[in-house]
Amino acid sequence: MKQLTATMAGTVLNIRVSQGESVSAGQMVMTLESMKMEIPVEAEFSGQVEKVNVEVGSFVNEGDTLVTLGE
């Protein structure tokens, strides 16, 4: 299992993947908003989404797990 984590604190603006979906390395999985800037979150590796750990509107801290990917 691999995890995609937040690189900075912010609010989840949108989520572009769902559980069971396959993602490719470099694919945008969600957008965070921090200090009025939109920060894209991209998959660092390919895999299948096992769990989306946040919801739109959730506040996340740096290092929080956003998405869990399996093989």
Side-chain angles (χ1 to χ4, degrees), residues 2-7 14 16-17 23-32 38-47 49 66-67 69:
K2 298 178 181 177
Q3 299 177 335
L4 302 178
T5 58
T7 57
N14 64 49
R16 297 177 177 231
V17 297
V23 296
S24 302
Q27 179 179 338
M28 186 185 300
V29 296
M30 68 179 61
T31 306
L32 299 179
E38 293 185 9
I39 297 95
V41 177
E42 297 178 349
E44 299 168 16
F45 27 74
S46 299
V49 177
L66 304 173
V67 177
L69 295 178

